[in-house]
Amino acid sequence: MPMTRVHLCWLAGSAALGVAVFLLGYGFRPATDTNRRADVPPHRHDPPDKPQFAPSRRPPGALKPRPPELPAPVPPPYPADSPEQQDWIATRIADLNALAWYDDAESLHRILAELSNPLPEIQAAALTATIAFGSRDAIPYLEQLAAQARDPKQQQALTEAIAYLRQPTLLEKLDQPPADHPE
């Protein structure tokens, strides 16, 4: 059977996929073992030299570190229900969305501070920006706010955000060894 265009596309796609899997699995991993010879590629299933996490001797939850203090939320400078306040809210929401793209602690703290803003629109935008920021450093603040929340809907939204942030990232999932599947 002669090779057709479909066969060539199928072959090229398979080759590209194989190269991508190889590069993700072996090519872009940082060298963490200094005793390894340079000419031997790292193996995904090498046993670690020591456990990554040492067992804790104190009971869980005995001492929780207190998260650092956040700056105060930005208060609205205009009277309630005025057109200027609505414009300010829209600008503030855009600012929070822009802060979610930065990857520094100051931006995260500025976003988290707005979770205690008296305006519900700003609170909702801050929660969305916190999720978009994607840092697990926000979890202690969210837990603290969820424990203090009086509104069940707000408490549920904070709890869902905490659950989302606790999920493993794609890179963490790729670094996990494959599970043994019985056949």
PDB file of all heavy atoms in Angstrom, residues 83-97:
ATOM      1  N   PRO A  83     -22.416  57.875  40.465  1.00  0.00           N
ATOM      2  CA  PRO A  83     -21.765  57.403  39.230  1.00  0.00           C
ATOM      3  C   PRO A  83     -20.243  57.327  39.379  1.00  0.00           C
ATOM      4  O   PRO A  83     -19.605  56.449  38.792  1.00  0.00           O
ATOM      5  CB  PRO A  83     -22.155  58.437  38.175  1.00  0.00           C
ATOM      6  CG  PRO A  83     -23.298  59.203  38.743  1.00  0.00           C
ATOM      7  CD  PRO A  83     -23.236  59.063  40.223  1.00  0.00           C
ATOM      8  N   GLU A  84     -19.690  58.239  40.180  1.00  0.00           N
ATOM      9  CA  GLU A  84     -18.232  58.207  40.390  1.00  0.00           C
ATOM     10  C   GLU A  84     -17.814  56.926  41.114  1.00  0.00           C
ATOM     11  O   GLU A  84     -16.778  56.345  40.821  1.00  0.00           O
ATOM     12  CB  GLU A  84     -17.772  59.425  41.201  1.00  0.00           C
ATOM     13  CG  GLU A  84     -17.924  60.744  40.487  1.00  0.00           C
ATOM     14  CD  GLU A  84     -19.315  61.352  40.681  1.00  0.00           C
ATOM     15  OE1 GLU A  84     -20.099  60.857  41.519  1.00  0.00           O
ATOM     16  OE2 GLU A  84     -19.614  62.329  39.975  1.00  0.00           O
ATOM     17  N   GLN A  85     -18.651  56.487  42.074  1.00  0.00           N
ATOM     18  CA  GLN A  85     -18.319  55.263  42.791  1.00  0.00           C
ATOM     19  C   GLN A  85     -18.400  54.062  41.853  1.00  0.00           C
ATOM     20  O   GLN A  85     -17.563  53.162  41.926  1.00  0.00           O
ATOM     21  CB  GLN A  85     -19.221  55.038  44.004  1.00  0.00           C
ATOM     22  CG  GLN A  85     -18.818  53.779  44.766  1.00  0.00           C
ATOM     23  CD  GLN A  85     -19.663  53.519  45.989  1.00  0.00           C
ATOM     24  OE1 GLN A  85     -20.611  54.230  46.273  1.00  0.00           O
ATOM     25  NE2 GLN A  85     -19.314  52.481  46.719  1.00  0.00           N
ATOM     26  N   GLN A  86     -19.383  54.029  40.985  1.00  0.00           N
ATOM     27  CA  GLN A  86     -19.492  52.921  40.042  1.00  0.00           C
ATOM     28  C   GLN A  86     -18.279  52.872  39.114  1.00  0.00           C
ATOM     29  O   GLN A  86     -17.755  51.793  38.808  1.00  0.00           O
ATOM     30  CB  GLN A  86     -20.797  53.031  39.232  1.00  0.00           C
ATOM     31  CG  GLN A  86     -22.045  52.910  40.076  1.00  0.00           C
ATOM     32  CD  GLN A  86     -22.085  51.614  40.881  1.00  0.00           C
ATOM     33  OE1 GLN A  86     -21.744  50.547  40.395  1.00  0.00           O
ATOM     34  NE2 GLN A  86     -22.508  51.723  42.141  1.00  0.00           N
ATOM     35  N   ASP A  87     -17.815  54.049  38.677  1.00  0.00           N
ATOM     36  CA  ASP A  87     -16.601  54.100  37.854  1.00  0.00           C
ATOM     37  C   ASP A  87     -15.392  53.634  38.656  1.00  0.00           C
ATOM     38  O   ASP A  87     -14.523  52.920  38.142  1.00  0.00           O
ATOM     39  CB  ASP A  87     -16.366  55.519  37.329  1.00  0.00           C
ATOM     40  CG  ASP A  87     -17.398  55.943  36.305  1.00  0.00           C
ATOM     41  OD1 ASP A  87     -18.074  55.054  35.736  1.00  0.00           O
ATOM     42  OD2 ASP A  87     -17.535  57.162  36.077  1.00  0.00           O
ATOM     43  N   TRP A  88     -15.331  54.056  39.929  1.00  0.00           N
ATOM     44  CA  TRP A  88     -14.217  53.657  40.785  1.00  0.00           C
ATOM     45  C   TRP A  88     -14.229  52.147  40.997  1.00  0.00           C
ATOM     46  O   TRP A  88     -13.169  51.507  40.964  1.00  0.00           O
ATOM     47  CB  TRP A  88     -14.299  54.381  42.137  1.00  0.00           C
ATOM     48  CG  TRP A  88     -13.196  54.004  43.057  1.00  0.00           C
ATOM     49  CD1 TRP A  88     -11.928  54.497  43.084  1.00  0.00           C
ATOM     50  CD2 TRP A  88     -13.249  53.001  44.084  1.00  0.00           C
ATOM     51  NE1 TRP A  88     -11.195  53.875  44.057  1.00  0.00           N
ATOM     52  CE2 TRP A  88     -11.987  52.950  44.691  1.00  0.00           C
ATOM     53  CE3 TRP A  88     -14.244  52.154  44.549  1.00  0.00           C
ATOM     54  CZ2 TRP A  88     -11.692  52.085  45.735  1.00  0.00           C
ATOM     55  CZ3 TRP A  88     -13.952  51.292  45.588  1.00  0.00           C
ATOM     56  CH2 TRP A  88     -12.688  51.272  46.172  1.00  0.00           C
ATOM     57  N   ILE A  89     -15.404  51.551  41.194  1.00  0.00           N
ATOM     58  CA  ILE A  89     -15.511  50.100  41.379  1.00  0.00           C
ATOM     59  C   ILE A  89     -15.019  49.379  40.125  1.00  0.00           C
ATOM     60  O   ILE A  89     -14.259  48.408  40.217  1.00  0.00           O
ATOM     61  CB  ILE A  89     -16.956  49.696  41.735  1.00  0.00           C
ATOM     62  CG1 ILE A  89     -17.305  50.166  43.150  1.00  0.00           C
ATOM     63  CG2 ILE A  89     -17.157  48.196  41.601  1.00  0.00           C
ATOM     64  CD1 ILE A  89     -18.762  49.971  43.523  1.00  0.00           C
ATOM     65  N   ALA A  90     -15.424  49.849  38.964  1.00  0.00           N
ATOM     66  CA  ALA A  90     -14.982  49.214  37.713  1.00  0.00           C
ATOM     67  C   ALA A  90     -13.457  49.317  37.559  1.00  0.00           C
ATOM     68  O   ALA A  90     -12.804  48.346  37.157  1.00  0.00           O
ATOM     69  CB  ALA A  90     -15.681  49.850  36.524  1.00  0.00           C
ATOM     70  N   THR A  91     -12.897  50.466  37.909  1.00  0.00           N
ATOM     71  CA  THR A  91     -11.452  50.640  37.830  1.00  0.00           C
ATOM     72  C   THR A  91     -10.747  49.744  38.838  1.00  0.00           C
ATOM     73  O   THR A  91      -9.716  49.132  38.530  1.00  0.00           O
ATOM     74  CB  THR A  91     -11.077  52.113  38.088  1.00  0.00           C
ATOM     75  OG1 THR A  91     -11.748  52.931  37.139  1.00  0.00           O
ATOM     76  CG2 THR A  91      -9.584  52.333  37.990  1.00  0.00           C
ATOM     77  N   ARG A  92     -11.299  49.652  40.035  1.00  0.00           N
ATOM     78  CA  ARG A  92     -10.694  48.821  41.087  1.00  0.00           C
ATOM     79  C   ARG A  92     -10.735  47.343  40.693  1.00  0.00           C
ATOM     80  O   ARG A  92      -9.772  46.610  40.926  1.00  0.00           O
ATOM     81  CB  ARG A  92     -11.427  49.055  42.417  1.00  0.00           C
ATOM     82  CG  ARG A  92     -10.734  48.482  43.592  1.00  0.00           C
ATOM     83  CD  ARG A  92      -9.458  49.255  43.895  1.00  0.00           C
ATOM     84  NE  ARG A  92      -8.657  48.489  44.815  1.00  0.00           N
ATOM     85  CZ  ARG A  92      -7.366  48.261  44.692  1.00  0.00           C
ATOM     86  NH1 ARG A  92      -6.699  48.801  43.709  1.00  0.00           N
ATOM     87  NH2 ARG A  92      -6.721  47.540  45.556  1.00  0.00           N
ATOM     88  N   ILE A  93     -11.821  46.900  40.100  1.00  0.00           N
ATOM     89  CA  ILE A  93     -11.923  45.513  39.639  1.00  0.00           C
ATOM     90  C   ILE A  93     -10.878  45.245  38.550  1.00  0.00           C
ATOM     91  O   ILE A  93     -10.210  44.197  38.553  1.00  0.00           O
ATOM     92  CB  ILE A  93     -13.354  45.202  39.158  1.00  0.00           C
ATOM     93  CG1 ILE A  93     -14.309  45.169  40.347  1.00  0.00           C
ATOM     94  CG2 ILE A  93     -13.404  43.891  38.383  1.00  0.00           C
ATOM     95  CD1 ILE A  93     -15.774  45.072  39.977  1.00  0.00           C
ATOM     96  N   ALA A  94     -10.701  46.183  37.635  1.00  0.00           N
ATOM     97  CA  ALA A  94      -9.680  46.032  36.590  1.00  0.00           C
ATOM     98  C   ALA A  94      -8.276  45.984  37.207  1.00  0.00           C
ATOM     99  O   ALA A  94      -7.422  45.206  36.762  1.00  0.00           O
ATOM    100  CB  ALA A  94      -9.784  47.166  35.580  1.00  0.00           C
ATOM    101  N   ASP A  95      -8.042  46.799  38.232  1.00  0.00           N
ATOM    102  CA  ASP A  95      -6.745  46.781  38.919  1.00  0.00           C
ATOM    103  C   ASP A  95      -6.485  45.426  39.576  1.00  0.00           C
ATOM    104  O   ASP A  95      -5.376  44.896  39.519  1.00  0.00           O
ATOM    105  CB  ASP A  95      -6.675  47.880  39.977  1.00  0.00           C
ATOM    106  CG  ASP A  95      -6.639  49.278  39.382  1.00  0.00           C
ATOM    107  OD1 ASP A  95      -6.366  49.407  38.171  1.00  0.00           O
ATOM    108  OD2 ASP A  95      -6.894  50.242  40.131  1.00  0.00           O
ATOM    109  N   LEU A  96      -7.516  44.863  40.211  1.00  0.00           N
ATOM    110  CA  LEU A  96      -7.353  43.553  40.854  1.00  0.00           C
ATOM    111  C   LEU A  96      -7.082  42.467  39.821  1.00  0.00           C
ATOM    112  O   LEU A  96      -6.243  41.587  40.043  1.00  0.00           O
ATOM    113  CB  LEU A  96      -8.593  43.210  41.677  1.00  0.00           C
ATOM    114  CG  LEU A  96      -8.788  44.033  42.953  1.00  0.00           C
ATOM    115  CD1 LEU A  96     -10.153  43.767  43.553  1.00  0.00           C
ATOM    116  CD2 LEU A  96      -7.692  43.740  43.949  1.00  0.00           C
ATOM    117  N   ASN A  97      -7.777  42.529  38.696  1.00  0.00           N
ATOM    118  CA  ASN A  97      -7.528  41.556  37.629  1.00  0.00           C
ATOM    119  C   ASN A  97      -6.109  41.690  37.084  1.00  0.00           C
ATOM    120  O   ASN A  97      -5.480  40.696  36.744  1.00  0.00           O
ATOM    121  CB  ASN A  97      -8.548  41.710  36.509  1.00  0.00           C
ATOM    122  CG  ASN A  97      -9.921  41.232  36.922  1.00  0.00           C
ATOM    123  OD1 ASN A  97     -10.060  40.387  37.792  1.00  0.00           O
ATOM    124  ND2 ASN A  97     -10.943  41.788  36.302  1.00  0.00           N
TER     125      ASN A  97
END
